[in-house]
Amino acid sequence: MTTDVEEARIESAARSMPSVAGRYDDIVRTGDGARLWRRAVADVQSGHLDDRPLYWARLKLRRDLDEPEAVDIAERLSRNFNPTFPSGVRRVLVTGFDPFHLDDVIEQSNPAGLVALALDGTTIAGAHVRTAILPVRFEAFDQGVVEDLLQPLFQCGLDLAVTISMGRDGFDLERFPGLRRSVETPDNTRAMTWASASNPLIPPDLAGTGAPEFLEFSLPATAMSAVAGRWPIRDNRRVTTLERGSFTVQTLKELAQDTAVRGSSGGFLSNEITYRSLLLQTRLGAEFPLGHLHTPALKGYDAGFEGDIVGQVRRIIAAALS
């Protein structure tokens, strides 16, 4: 049994926030990933607004399992990678992310993960919502974690899909995701891509596939950005290219000759899940509104701040469905 980089942080988390890191130890001992997801959803939806206990419990679950196949099953089930919908209802998919930057702030939460737990199985504007939480790992993206999750859902049909991550000082609807990675930020395993703003790199599995440098989302941005709340909601059209630097774009056609450095959603995995989901949708010929929403950012954890994010996201999704 080996311990990876993420699992090696467990002891630090246990010292810093024992009630968070140990909240689901009873489920960890059962090895039941599906039960862990259900417990975290029930916990959040009963008012305990914290995504972190699920993250740390999942790492303990992985650490304690001996077989790679068992680890993979527990990982997938505890992320809700097999969401199903009742028949005869409108279908909404929302994805979030794990906490990240944990070497800087071990107590870090991710509002996008909290949103996923708060909304799973709920009804918004008459539509049934299912959710999942993605890892902050380049290797998982290279191995097709996004496509494996989304393809069966896209093929069965959705009415709306919104990928969500933690971003800047307000809400941003990220209109033009880019193909390439460009940040020098490590992922949760401390892995680097060795990409940079001067040397943006195509993800290995997308290289040579003819994927375009930029895509455009299909979210109803006007309706969504009109939602009132604590934070402004911007239709973000700003991108960065090798040829022209950073600038604001009105149409996808304007980017036809440019090389992506940063999409509207940046050059990290937030941008990449946006790009991959739209590319998959195009290749499958699936038609429904799809795109990315960045939430306001915070350092550490703040239940009131994150609760306000969850409430505003509910209204944003309702507006998209209207």
Side-chain angles (χ1 to χ4, degrees):
M1 183 165 50
T2 60
T3 300
D4 69 15
V5 171
E6 286 188 273
E7 293 161 12
R9 298 189 184 99
I10 291 172
E11 299 309 318
S12 177
R15 290 192 299 270
S16 177
M17 44 181 183
S19 63
V20 172
R23 187 173 180 87
Y24 301 145
D25 279 355
D26 58 327
I27 300 178
V28 170
R29 286 189 287 270
T30 71
D32 190 337
R35 183 180 170 197
L36 181 58
W37 174 265
R38 293 194 299 269
R39 171 75 176 276
V41 168
D43 218 6
V44 169
Q45 294 185 10
S46 67
H48 188 80
L49 300 180
D50 197 342
D51 64 306
R52 300 172 298 168
L54 173 61
Y55 175 74
W56 293 108
R58 183 190 301 113
L59 291 180
K60 290 181 180 182
L61 196 62
R62 287 174 39 190
R63 180 193 62 184
D64 295 347
L65 292 170
D66 293 327
E67 298 296 329
E69 183 178 357
V71 172
D72 182 64
I73 291 171
E75 175 89 5
R76 293 178 62 83
L77 292 176
S78 65
R79 295 182 179 282
N80 202 34
F81 276 8
N82 59 341
T84 59
F85 291 88
S87 60
V89 298
R90 299 176 76 193
R91 301 177 176 192
V92 176
L93 176 70
V94 173
T95 67
F97 272 104
D98 285 342
F100 60 108
H101 292 328
L102 297 164
D103 286 331
D104 299 324
V105 183
I106 195 69
E107 300 88 1
Q108 185 65 47
S109 169
N110 191 329
L114 182 65
V115 167
L117 294 172
L119 298 188
D120 190 48
T122 65
T123 300
I124 298 178
H128 190 78
V129 181
R130 296 308 311 271
T131 69
I133 295 178
L134 276 294
V136 184
R137 300 186 208 127
F138 291 118
E139 183 180 32
F141 274 59
D142 294 343
Q143 293 175 348
V145 66
V146 174
E147 293 80 3
D148 289 348
L149 167 65
L150 298 182
Q151 182 162 331
L153 295 167
F154 284 12
Q155 288 174 324
C156 290
L158 295 170
D159 293 278
L160 174 70
V162 184
T163 59
I164 303 179
S165 61
M166 183 174 72
R168 307 178 185 98
D169 60 345
F171 283 101
D172 286 297
L173 297 164
E174 307 293 10
R175 184 169 286 272
F176 298 110
L179 168 63
R180 297 169 187 257
R181 297 168 176 169
S182 59
V183 297
E184 299 175 55
T185 304
D187 68 9
N188 275 352
T189 70
R190 301 195 187 108
M192 304 282 287
T193 66
W194 309 113
S196 66
S198 60
N199 182 38
L201 299 176
I202 300 173
D205 62 307
L206 296 181
T209 64
E213 292 289 332
F214 289 95
L215 294 169
E216 182 175 5
F217 74 15
S218 54
L219 292 175
T222 300
M224 295 170 81
S225 59
V227 171
R230 179 171 173 177
W231 295 277
I233 305 164
R234 298 174 288 245
D235 178 359
N236 183 27
R237 299 166 178 263
R238 195 157 189 84
V239 303
T240 304
T241 72
L242 278 178
E243 293 78 9
R244 291 189 279 173
S246 183
F247 60 103
T248 299
V249 184
Q250 296 305 313
T251 68
L252 185 62
K253 187 176 180 180
E254 296 173 48
L255 296 167
Q257 304 303 317
D258 285 76
T259 304
V261 173
R262 293 172 62 89
S264 302
S265 39
F268 194 40
L269 293 177
S270 297
N271 172 79
E272 192 163 325
I273 191 173
T274 319
Y275 184 92
R276 285 179 179 271
S277 60
L278 286 166
L279 183 65
L280 177 65
Q281 183 187 43
T282 300
R283 290 176 171 174
L284 293 175
E287 295 185 6
F288 53 85
L290 167 64
H292 192 78
L293 175 68
H294 260 132
T295 75
L298 82 162
K299 185 175 183 179
Y301 169 73
D302 184 323
F305 183 97
E306 296 188 64
D308 287 349
I309 288 175
V310 171
Q312 196 162 347
V313 170
R314 286 184 196 274
R315 297 192 297 277
I316 291 169
I317 291 174
L321 290 165
S322 66

